[in-house]
Amino acid sequence: MRSYVCVATAAALVASAAAAESAEFYKVKILPTDLAIEAAETAVASCPRGIVSVVDANGTERAFIASDNSQTRVITTSSRAKALTALWGGMPSLDLVKPAMAEPGGITAFVQNNKGLAPGDGGVPIRVRGELIGAIGMSAPGAVAHVCAEKGIAKIQDRLNALQ
Amino acid sequence: MRKSLTFVSAGAAFVLAGAALAAQQAAPAAREPVLGHGPSERTGVREAGKAPALATPEAEATYSYGYPLLPHAISIAAAKAAMDACAARGAYVAVMVIDTYGIERVTVVHERARPVFELDKARRKAMTAMNDRGNLSSDMATAYSEREGGIPYQLVVSPVNIGLPGGAPLKIKGSYLVAGLGVSGAADPRIDEQCAMEGIKQVQAKLDQIKYK
């Protein structure tokens, strides 16, 4: 069975045995890489010339695919930024456009103040029982990107829910 | 009276602007020739509607638009196989595949690997394999060691290269370089290299079926 909680749990147990008063490590939900890859493959298969990036709960990249004939230099950063935006807001990055526009200074000020975020179509959070464990960022020319990202998540959702 | 004058002058300005716009639209021929995607930098600027001027018949035979790009299905299969091979040995690694331009095409990070450190080294190993014209990344280190009696400091601290085993080229039929694969994360980098070779071995049959000129 795959260890779903943080790897450091075992180390935490050892440490607590040595010193009874020692603090526990934070337990971070881990997104299994096999599932991340499968979600990325599914998303790319449904959006031709798309680029997809899957990040875990910390925002670090676990899987990335630039599909055939994709404009890597143009949209590689965009796919990552959208995944991070979805993770940051805990909601699809498309839904963050309105709050960003409502901020003083509009969406320009929002993007300048929050470097690396990109409110716009393409980022979708991955949740297990309501808990955020990662996000998918998708960039594809001439396509509705979040639909492809949602297809990728739908494929792995059952197996994610089965994890302990 | 003054008001009407301003209206008139504004109208004139509008007409002038319209004329300028029309003149701009009417002269698309003055535009720069569009640069093609691929090796046009080497063969010179491609004129619109004309075949590129080639110096020799040999050059014509080897000229092709675009650049060798591995299908992402093969790249991801190789990366996954390399990651699983390392996981079977108890090493949790990050794998990156880059194309012949040095651009990242596929990344895979095991859930127990340290993402940032290992991914950086995986990229540098893949870059080293490509830089060295499709040798292993350890070959560059070996060559330097034999020639200069050690790995130079520049190769260790370079943001692009790294003098460690773990980078391997993907070649069609052992000769045509299409991508580089870098593996990092094992305690001993020689294990990284073995995993990389195993990953490439898994896709070599598919790779050899690709047609190229």
Side-chain angles (χ1 to χ4, degrees), chain A residues 33-55 61-80 83 122 135-141 145 148-149 152 155-156, chain B residues 69-80 83 95-99 103-109 119:
Chain A
T33 302
D34 295 348
L35 299 184
I37 295 170
E38 202 172 331
E41 280 177 328
T42 314
V44 150
S46 41
C47 267
R49 298 181 70 203
I51 296 190
V52 66
S53 175
V54 184
V55 301
E61 201 163 55
R62 291 292 166 182
F64 169 85
I65 300 177
S67 66
D68 304 338
N69 206 13
S70 53
Q71 297 170 319
T72 30
R73 278 295 182 210
V74 185
I75 57 180
T76 297
T77 352
S78 152
S79 69
R80 264 171 216 159
I136 291 191
M138 178 97 206
S139 284
C148 302
K155 181 133 193 216
I156 62 165
Chain B
L69 180 58
L70 203 56
H72 73 261
I74 294 180
S75 309
I76 193 89
K80 222 164 138 180
M83 188 186 76
V95 185
M96 186 180 283
V97 180
I98 60 168
D99 64 10
I103 297 171
E104 173 188 4
R105 303 305 300 199
V106 156
T107 296
V108 162
V109 186
L119 205 50

Side-chain angles (χ1 to χ4, degrees), chain B residues 161-177:
Chain B
N161 295 317
I162 193 165
L164 283 175
L170 276 83
K171 290 178 178 177
I172 300 175
K173 290 176 186 161
S175 61
Y176 192 71
L177 182 65

Side-chain angles (χ1 to χ4, degrees), chain A residues 98-125:
Chain A
K98 271 188 184 175
M101 286 172 88
E103 285 210 355
I107 202 159
T108 317
F110 176 85
V111 171
Q112 280 175 357
N113 295 336
N114 303 286
K115 286 257 159 63
L117 297 189
D121 183 26
V124 181

